[in-house]
């Protein structure tokens, strides 16, 4: 269902890797999409990095609030950090 709604899309080749770690940028993409925001057409597009627009939209929605010291959005996040982002997404008004 999430794939059909374009919330998740796999690893770029369409494969899903449920045992793999998740990065901040991947979590941002999933949550921004799940909230109904279309980051692809957002004003944040930056050529060459698919995640930039999702990260900027996630910042705007305060999804990273409570997570300190993120210096690399391509880094793996832990479950606690993922929980904070999911919690923050529950505080966002749905589009």
């Amino acid at each position: 269902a999430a794939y059909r709604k374009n919330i998740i899309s796999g690893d770029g080749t369409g494969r899903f890797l449920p045992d793999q770690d998740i990065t901040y940028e991947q979590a941002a993409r999933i949550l921004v999409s799940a909230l109904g925001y279309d980051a692809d057409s957002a004003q944040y597009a930056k050529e060459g990095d698919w995640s930039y627009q999702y990260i900027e939209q996630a910042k705007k929605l305060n999804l990273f609030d409570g997570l300190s010291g993120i210096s690399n959005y391509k880094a793996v996040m832990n479950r606690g950090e993922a929980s904070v982002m999911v919690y923050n997404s529950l505080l966002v008004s749905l589009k």
Side-chain angles (χ1 to χ4, degrees):
Y3 176 78
R4 285 191 301 276
K5 292 184 180 274
N6 199 30
I7 294 170
I8 57 173
S9 59
D11 70 349
T13 65
R15 295 179 307 154
F16 293 91
L17 306 167
D19 294 326
Q20 293 288 331
D21 294 327
I22 190 168
T23 64
Y24 295 101
E25 66 184 355
Q26 291 167 332
R29 195 258 191 237
I30 292 167
L31 293 172
V32 165
S33 298
L35 290 167
Y37 289 86
D38 184 11
D40 289 329
S41 63
Q43 62 190 0
Y44 306 111
K46 179 180 176 183
E47 193 172 322
D49 188 356
W50 68 267
S51 66
Y52 180 81
Q53 57 211 12
Y54 293 103
I55 291 167
E56 291 303 310
Q57 186 66 44
K59 287 178 185 177
K60 183 177 175 182
L61 296 171
N62 301 314
L63 299 184
F64 295 114
D65 282 8
L67 303 178
S68 60
I70 302 172
S71 60
N72 179 6
Y73 290 96
K74 296 184 182 304
V76 171
M77 62 190 312
N78 64 44
R79 285 190 278 189
E81 293 166 322
S83 297
V84 169
M85 285 187 71
V86 170
Y87 174 78
N88 290 340
S89 74
L90 297 173
L91 303 176
V92 173
S93 297
L94 293 179
K95 186 171 181 175

